[in-house]
Each structure stands twice: as structure tokens, then as C-alpha cells.
């Protein structure tokens, strides 16, 4: 398959990513000097791990992009619908692709099979532009969420272009250097403040703010939470490694171990497909604290 006509907005942007990561690191260092520890900042090991994950993701994406594009093309040629490529088609695609991203993102948090791919992006305990580059090496779990666009008659070129636009938009919101934007922007768009909450492990922020570009979907579907307390970045159970291979595959390995445990098929499937925090009732009972006996008054 000739891949020369597949749009690529990400690779040309790599130099911009590198320059802005360095610029942000210098700026955040200045902020930390002025404001103490109110921002998390950077560490060499974490930043290098994020960059390694990003480079690995680009390498995997070279091949996967061809497969995904071919899939969209096949479905596009099967459907009788055609949206064209005029201005209104692009406007409609902007909203529909963003809705597809919301569905993709929400499912990748709420089902462990999909979370195993996406957890990579949340594995840093820091929050900066390099975190945006910490991407999965198993992107195959996401393709199906954009299938409706091809079936509606949007060309594969338009679909992958809008996907890239969304990804580029989401790059700049991975920062602590921007506190708040004007209220109309915060109400309508995904912003650094909204996405900081999404990357936090605080109980109040879990499973919220799935937006790509527009925060409207979270407001509409009840998953929006404003940034109200200082975020604690990372996972509820953080990794103790900067090894890119372990970062990329640790959750897949954990799923395999859990699914191999003795138990009925429903338990095995639960470990694979239910919420990442799910455990069978027997395991929940073992982890539950012992009941506290009621105090009796002395006779």
C-alpha cells in the first residue's frame, strides 16, 4: 500500500516538541524558585522515560498507521455515504471526531483491557510537556472508536488529519506553567487546569475530564470535575521504574497474571474487561478491614 498520501502532522512537529519541553523546563524551574514546591517540575529520569516512550510510540505508529488507514479506507469504500471535503464537512468532523475521542478515552479508563494500553500515559508522577509524549506502544485498542466516521462517509485522509489535530492540541495542555485561562475558554475547551485534574490520582479526580479538545462532552455526560485541590499526579499505585519496556507492558503482564488465577471464567473475564480497580467478591472480602466491635458500657 502506498503510504505517501497518508497525512502526517506529528513527525514534522517533533522539533517543536523538543524545543518547547526545554523552554518549559526552564520556565517551571523559575516558577519553583519563586513559589517553592507549588509546581511539580521535571526530573531527568522521568523526562527521559517520557521521551523514550514517545519515540517508541512513533516507531510503532509507522506500521500501525498503515493498518488503521487501510481499515478506514475499506469501510469508507463499503458505505454509500459521502460527506465530501467542504468547509461544513470539516466543521462536522471536528465535533464528531472529538466525540469519538471522548468515547475512546472514557472506555480506556473504565475497562482494564483498554486501560492496559492507556495507563502508559498516566504513569508519570510529574506533569509537564514531556508527559504528553509518554504514549502507548500498543495503540491497536483505539482504532474501533473512529470506525463510525468512516461509515458516515468521511474520507480516511480527513479522519487521520483530524485525529492529528486533536493530538497536537492536547500537547500544550500538559503543563503547570499555565494556571487558568479566561472563563469562556475554561468553560468550552479542555485546558491545562482541566487536564491536570484528569492526570491526578486524588479520589475526587478519578475517572473525570476525558475531553480531547472540547470539555463540553464531560459537562454533557456528567464526567466533568474542576481543579479544586492540588493534583497528585500518577497512578493510585505508582510504578517504581523508568524502564520504558516495563512502563509499556506492565499492565498487560498484570492482566495475564490475574486472569491465570484459579477461578470461574466470569472472574477471569472480569480481571480482563471490567474496571481496572475491580476485584472478585472473595478478594474484596480478604482486603476488607475487620469489623470494629461496638463498645459496651461497663456494668
Amino acid at each position: 500500500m502506498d503510504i505517501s498520501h497518508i497525512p502526517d502532522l506529528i513527525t514534522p512537529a517533533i522539533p517543536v516538541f523538543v524545543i518547547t519541553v526545554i523552554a518549559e523546563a526552564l520556565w517551571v524551574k523559575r516558577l519553583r524558585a519563586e513559589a517553592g514546591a507549588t509546581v511539580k517540575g521535571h526530573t531527568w529520569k522521568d523526562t527521559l522515560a517520557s521521551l523514550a516512550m514517545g519515540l517508541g510510540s512513533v516507531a510503532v505508529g509507522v506500521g500501525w498507521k498503515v493498518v488503521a488507514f487501510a481499515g478506514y479506507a475499506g469501510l469508507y469504500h463499503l458505505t454509500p455515504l459521502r460527506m465530501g471535503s467542504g468547509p461544513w464537512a470539516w466543521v462536522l468532523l471536528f465535533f464528531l471526531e472529538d466525540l469519538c475521542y471522548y468515547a475512546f478515552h472514557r472506555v480506556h479508563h473504565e475497562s482494564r483491557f483498554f486501560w492496559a494500553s492507556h495507563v502508559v500515559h498516566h504513569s508519570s508522577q510529574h506533569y509537564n510537556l514531556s508527559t504528553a509524549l509518554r504514549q502507548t506502544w500498543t495503540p491497536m485498542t483505539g482504532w474501533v472508536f473512529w470506525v463510525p466516521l468512516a461509515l458516515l462517509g468521511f474520507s480516511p485522509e480527513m479522519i487521520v488529519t483530524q485525529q492529528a489535530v486533536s493530538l497536537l492540541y492536547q500537547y500544550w495542555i500538559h503543563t503547570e506553567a499555565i494556571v487558568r485561562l479566561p472563563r469562556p475558554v475554561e468553560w468550552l475547551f479542555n485546558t491545562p487546569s482541566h487536564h491536570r485534574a484528569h492526570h491526578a490520582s486524588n479520589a475526587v479526580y478519578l475517572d473525570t475530564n476525558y475531553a480531547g479538545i472540547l470539555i463540553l462532552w464531560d459537562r454533557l455526560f456528567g464526567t466533568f470535575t474542576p481543579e479544586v485541590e492540588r493534583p497528585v499526579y500518577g497512578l493510585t499505585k505508582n510504578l517504581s521504574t523508568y524502564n520504558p519496556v516495563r512502563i509499556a507492558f506492565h499492565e498487560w503482564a498484570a492482566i495475564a497474571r490475574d486472569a491465570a488465577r484459579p477461578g470461574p471464567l466470569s472472574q477471569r473475564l472480569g480481571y480482563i474487561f471490567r474496571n481496572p480497580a475491580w476485584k472478585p467478591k472473595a478478594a474484596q472480602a480478604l482486603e476488607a478491614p475487620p469489623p470494629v466491635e461496638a463498645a459496651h458500657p461497663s456494668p
Side-chain angles (χ1 to χ4, degrees):
M1 179 180 179
D2 180 15
I3 64 173
S4 60
H5 65 293
I6 300 178
D8 182 10
L9 302 182
I10 303 301
T11 303
I14 290 176
V16 177
F17 295 157
V18 174
I19 293 170
T20 51
V21 165
I22 295 171
E24 182 206 28
L26 295 174
W27 178 249
V28 169
K29 184 177 180 180
R30 178 179 174 182
L31 289 179
R32 285 175 60 84
E34 294 177 352
T38 57
V39 292
K40 186 74 173 178
H42 303 66
T43 67
W44 278 108
K45 287 184 178 180
D46 182 79
T47 299
L48 290 174
S50 293
L51 294 177
M53 298 307 301
L55 291 173
S57 179
V58 169
V60 172
V62 170
W64 175 246
K65 184 183 294 184
V66 177
V67 176
F69 190 89
Y72 295 139
L75 295 172
Y76 177 72
H77 288 298
L78 284 175
T79 181
L81 301 176
R82 288 295 179 270
M83 288 294 181
S85 56
W88 287 110
W90 281 102
V91 171
L92 181 59
L93 178 61
F94 169 81
F95 286 98
L96 291 179
E97 191 281 331
D98 205 48
L99 180 58
C100 289
Y101 180 85
Y102 174 88
F104 151 84
H105 200 180
R106 183 167 181 173
V107 171
H108 274 69
H109 274 260
E110 297 181 358
S111 170
R112 192 180 182 192
F113 175 80
F114 296 94
W115 174 243
S117 172
H118 185 62
V119 66
V120 169
H121 185 60
H122 287 264
S123 60
S124 175
Q125 297 178 55
H126 296 260
Y127 189 78
N128 50 63
L129 292 177
S130 75
T131 309
L133 307 178
R134 187 178 285 228
Q135 295 291 333
T136 183
W137 291 2
T138 54
M140 304 79 184
T141 59
W143 179 82
V144 68
F145 293 91
W146 283 269
V147 161
L149 300 180
L151 294 176
L152 284 173
F154 291 103
S155 72
E157 291 84 0
M158 292 176 69
I159 294 171
V160 298
T161 297
Q162 188 56 43
Q163 286 176 323
V165 169
S166 177
L167 194 61
L168 288 173
Y169 175 90
Q170 293 175 61
Y171 171 72
W172 74 274
I173 63 177
H174 290 81
T175 186
E176 294 180 296
I178 300 173
V179 181
R180 289 286 196 283
L181 294 170
R183 289 185 65 183
V185 177
E186 294 282 348
W187 193 88
L188 182 61
F189 292 99
N190 196 10
T191 65
S193 176
H194 300 329
H195 208 56
R196 281 194 294 270
H198 174 72
H199 269 258
S201 60
N202 312 48
V204 68
Y205 295 138
L206 293 179
D207 298 329
T208 60
N209 297 4
Y210 298 116
I213 297 177
L214 301 174
I215 201 69
L216 289 177
W217 311 116
D218 287 288
R219 296 185 186 276
L220 180 63
F221 296 117
T223 53
F224 173 70
T225 297
E227 184 183 23
V228 290
E229 62 183 55
R230 184 180 175 187
V232 178
Y233 305 115
L235 307 172
T236 54
K237 184 179 180 181
N238 285 305
L239 298 177
S240 58
T241 180
Y242 297 103
N243 183 324
V245 175
R246 289 187 60 191
I247 293 172
F249 299 111
H250 73 277
E251 188 64 17
W252 293 110
I255 288 176
R257 288 194 300 270
D258 287 341
R261 294 181 181 185
L265 178 62
S266 60
Q267 173 181 300
R268 298 172 190 270
L269 293 176
Y271 274 125
I272 298 171
F273 294 107
R274 296 189 69 166
N275 188 281
W278 179 85
K279 287 182 174 61
K281 290 182 179 179
Q284 293 177 17
L286 289 174
E287 293 181 1
V292 178
E293 296 184 4
H296 296 284
S298 300

